[in-house]
Amino acid sequence: MNFGLNDEQELLRDTFARFFDEHSSMARVRQAGEAGGFDLALWQGLANLGTFAMRVSEAAGGLGLSTLDAALVLEEAGRTLASGPLAETIVAAALLGELGEPSAEPVLGQVLGGTRIATLAFHDIAKRSVQWLAGGAVADLVIARDGNEVVLLSLTPENRKAEGNLASNGIGEVDLSRAARVDLASGQEAVTRFAAAIEEWRLLTSAMLSGLARQAVHLAADYACERQAFGVPIGTFQAISHPLANFITEIDGGKYFVWKVLHEVAHRTPKAGALIPLALWWNGRVATMAVVQGLRTFGGYGLTTEYDIHLYNLRAKALQLIAGDPDRLLGEAGARLYANTGSALPDVGEISIDFDLGSEAAELAAELEGRRHQCGRCARGIPQGTDSVLGPDLAP
């Protein structure tokens, strides 16, 4: 087992942490909210750092980094509420490079250079031409599925139905039926690649929610150390401190859950596809609850727009809702796990972390599982060597 990041990943995370601290301050986030949830200067800085080229292969002019590397960046982006469709553009750029259509090469260069903003349509435009898109208020490129084709759509202000929002996330309603289009690829392989890109977006968004939740708890903890009641900081009261400590544990669990899923996807394990929607559901749920606890820690101040915690509350809700009702992710995971509905797994690149406990642990787990089944049969009075008559749910 190895949860440690290598030196390059540590440097990557620290570099982006410093960048976001400087260029995505809460003052900048509020200013971006007034401009439709987009910070052009931040975006250009991210392009200069090669952010949008992270998941593009070296053959297509990118950096060829792994999804884990991108997840580390998205954690920092979530922590600072970075304005702009960051996860969407990273995935869209990778998809453009992967499809390899010559007509898309100039567009890919513009996306990597930060002069054009790309996002994804989560629903088939043949069935739903008007959709809410992450970055729909500012994006001018959309990669979408149209039946058996994957297309690149160019947006103009006439396509947008965007309205202002307090979460400064740039979400906008877009009419894709009137957008100019370029056909990128067609056939089952193209559709599968697009579906895999959506799965990768889910993982990156999960990482962003994890970073957001952690910072929300830190804001609440800092306030609990400053605010006093009965002559002592309110953080000394267990009713305040214990929930915050519990949420940090759950946030850590969500973070490593994403890493675990990346490990499973990289090794193409049978349950990997079912874990992807679960990772997004868990991190979205934890982020929402952690921010609510933060609001309660701030008391009445948490409901005012002067305090930054309310921005985390709005963004936590918006991030997970853009793809639909979060609870539907549970049904999707169940269908993949028990009904074998299948899923398209992205190529996440080389994953340096390792969740394997080793052969001795595997043998011990198998032995304990065997004993559990044996004890279960004895407790139900089932003789050894016979089949259970109590149904498949009770059968060993």
Side-chain angles (χ1 to χ4, degrees), residues 1-4 353-358:
M1 179 178 287
N2 174 27
F3 286 176
I353 56 176
D354 185 10
F355 286 80
D356 188 1
L357 297 175

Side-chain angles (χ1 to χ4, degrees), residues 36 42 48 55 58 101 129 140 173 198 229 257 273 275 279 288 300 327 349 351 353 370 385 392:
L42 171 69
N48 294 337
R55 292 290 294 135
E58 294 183 67
E101 175 65 29
S129 59
D140 46 16
E173 189 178 17
I198 299 297
F257 189 8
L275 296 178
T288 299
D327 285 344
I351 304 299
I353 56 176

Side-chain angles (χ1 to χ4, degrees), residues 227-238:
R227 180 66 184 269
Q228 292 198 357
F230 307 106
V232 296
I234 62 174
T236 60
F237 303 132
Q238 292 182 357

Side-chain angles (χ1 to χ4, degrees), residues 45-120:
L46 289 170
N48 294 337
L49 286 175
T51 310
F52 310 126
M54 293 182 66
R55 292 290 294 135
V56 179
S57 67
E58 294 183 67
L63 300 178
L65 300 181
S66 71
T67 306
L68 175 59
D69 297 325
L72 297 177
V73 173
L74 266 296
E75 282 185 36
E76 299 302 325
R79 178 179 65 85
T80 55
L81 302 184
S83 301
L86 184 53
E88 294 76 17
T89 299
I90 289 175
V91 174
L95 189 57
L96 281 173
E98 185 179 1
L99 293 176
E101 175 65 29
S103 61
E105 291 180 4
V107 177
L108 176 59
Q110 294 167 350
V111 172
L112 299 186
T115 58
R116 303 192 75 176
I117 307 164
T119 188
L120 302 167

